[in-house]
Amino acid sequence: MSAKLTAGPVLIIGTGLLGASLGLALRPEVEVYLRDSSPAGAALARDVGAGRTDWAGRPEPSLVVVATPPDVVAEVVAGALAEFPRAVVTDVASIKADVETDVLLLAGPEAARRYVGSHPMAGRERTGALAADGSLFLGRPWVVVPHAGSSDEAINAVRSLAVDAGGVLHQLSAREHDAAVALVSHVPQVVSSLLAGRLVEAPAGALDLAGQGLRDVTRIAASSERMWTAILTQNSAPVRAVLAQLQVELSGVIEALAAAEQAGPEAPGVHGTLGALLRGGNEGVARIPGKHGGAGTRFGRLTVLISDEPGQLGQLFTDAGEAGISIEDVTIEHARGKKMGMVELSVLPAHLSDLAAELTRRGWRIVETEV
Ligand SMILES: NC(=O)C1=CN([C@@H]2O[C@H](COP(=O)(O)OP(=O)(O)OC[C@H]3O[C@@H](n4cnc5c(N)ncnc54)[C@H](O)[C@@H]3O)[C@@H](O)[C@H]2O)C=CC1
Ligand SMILES: O=C(O)C(=O)Cc1ccc(O)cc1
């Protein structure tokens, strides 16, 4: 018996990162067909195991998932509604209101009863099937976005798809969705790109000093130009609204720094403005849900120096395991040009001092602990 709710076959149109990852997540229990405007793109997704390309003449898909770039999603959805008159059709585009309006216009209200938008909040900075990963959606929010005319059957099929892929269900209207992702996804992309853009002409000597902080806030600046220009222009009003708020606050910070420059660091208002900036950041970051989806868990962090030799990392994990302490997260930073690196282990704060003591006893060099 299939362990999935989705009966299939599922046709995935657009077999890049998202489409191929979804195929991998659904197979082998669900039969997956692949289609892409690039035959090489479809063949690549087939070769990574995301589904079959030789599906002509086989049973019609019961569900079509459109995973093309966002600017062509609406026309591809409308085409699928016409080509497969019994299938439910969804898409995974990062913006929803624009797509919904265009699908209703292109397909008409009757066919559009079989359309429900969706958006898995999971991705990577890389595109294409070679970067696909069947566990991409595990434990990540998956927003189901019905429109007023979506049928219950279509809504249930798309909710089942999200669950089968391992996602955590959320349901919002297209407008609610677009406002939410402007704040949590689209503006972060703009801010990350703006900051990373400042690095283009930075002296190499300055970049050599870069630490984890810069890497954290610029990771998504490596994202696809084509996809993100389409997302930003299709969600322009909500993104602009958040950026305008940032602009006001940024002007306040610039004014405070100008006052410090002219009248000294103790000039009236300077500490108040900068303190409010930092406090707001502390409060905001504490509200981001933890990796398991609940309220944000604050972990203690412990940084260990390791030499760049085979087996060091495995030994470190073994030693932590033997101390009976579960590692919640890990980041590794290699020291450029040196045969060593820093491993930052995140653990529950109550376990931090025990772990530090045990690792020190076993000969590890602890560089920093932070509650
Ligand atoms: N990359 C990410 O992190 C995330 C992306 N999304 C959404 O997923 C969708 C796909 O993004 P990716 O997989 O990253 O892009 P991608 O560039 O890896 O894949 C898109 C695929 O669609 C194909 N394609 C383009 N036009 C087509 C058409 N008219 N008909 C059939 N195939 C066509 C391309 O050849 C390509 O293989 C986008 O709508 C994006 O907003 C959603 C969540 C995360
Ligand atoms: O890399 C990350 O942190 C992401 O959150 C990726 C992402 C990119 C685009 C989306 O529409 C949804 C998720």
Side-chain angles (χ1 to χ4, degrees), residues 28-244:
E29 294 92 337
V30 180
E31 168 93 305
V32 176
Y33 302 159
L34 304 171
R35 178 192 279 176
D36 198 286
S37 56
S38 153
L44 192 59
R46 176 202 61 205
D47 289 351
V48 302
R52 63 194 310 157
T53 49
D54 59 340
W55 50 273
R58 298 184 69 85
E60 287 224 341
S62 63
L63 176 65
V64 179
V65 183
V66 175
T68 63
D71 50 340
V72 294
V73 161
E75 68 181 69
V76 178
V77 166
L81 287 167
E83 183 179 351
F84 304 105
R86 284 186 298 281
V88 169
V89 180
T90 188
D91 69 286
V92 295
S94 309
I95 39 94
K96 297 273 68 95
D98 234 38
V99 172
E100 181 180 295
T101 306
D102 289 352
V103 167
L104 282 163
L105 217 65
L106 293 168
E110 187 48 40
R113 286 177 53 71
R114 291 180 285 115
Y115 168 70
V116 175
S118 74
H119 183 197
M121 294 303 298
R124 302 184 62 176
E125 313 76 82
R126 293 171 56 201
T127 56
L130 274 185
D133 175 357
S135 60
L136 187 69
F137 311 107
L138 279 184
R140 304 297 300 269
W142 187 308
V143 196
V144 174
V145 186
H147 60 89
S150 296
S151 71
D152 288 346
E153 186 200 342
I155 296 171
N156 288 335
V158 177
R159 290 176 67 91
S160 296
L161 174 78
V163 171
D164 283 343
V168 176
L169 271 178
H170 294 254
Q171 192 162 320
L172 294 174
S173 73
R175 290 213 178 280
E176 288 167 335
H177 166 276
D178 285 2
V181 295
L183 180 64
V184 304
S185 179
H186 302 174
V187 168
Q189 179 63 50
V190 173
V191 171
S192 178
S193 297
L194 278 171
L195 183 62
R198 292 286 85 220
L199 306 178
V200 174
E201 289 177 3
L207 295 176
D208 283 342
L209 307 184
Q212 201 53 38
L214 183 69
R215 291 188 177 85
D216 285 349
V217 293
T218 56
R219 176 180 64 83
I220 54 176
S223 299
S224 152
E225 172 189 336
R226 179 180 163 195
M227 182 176 95
W228 277 98
T229 49
I231 291 172
L232 295 174
T233 50
Q234 287 183 268
N235 199 21
S236 51
V239 172
R240 185 195 45 74
V242 181
L243 285 176

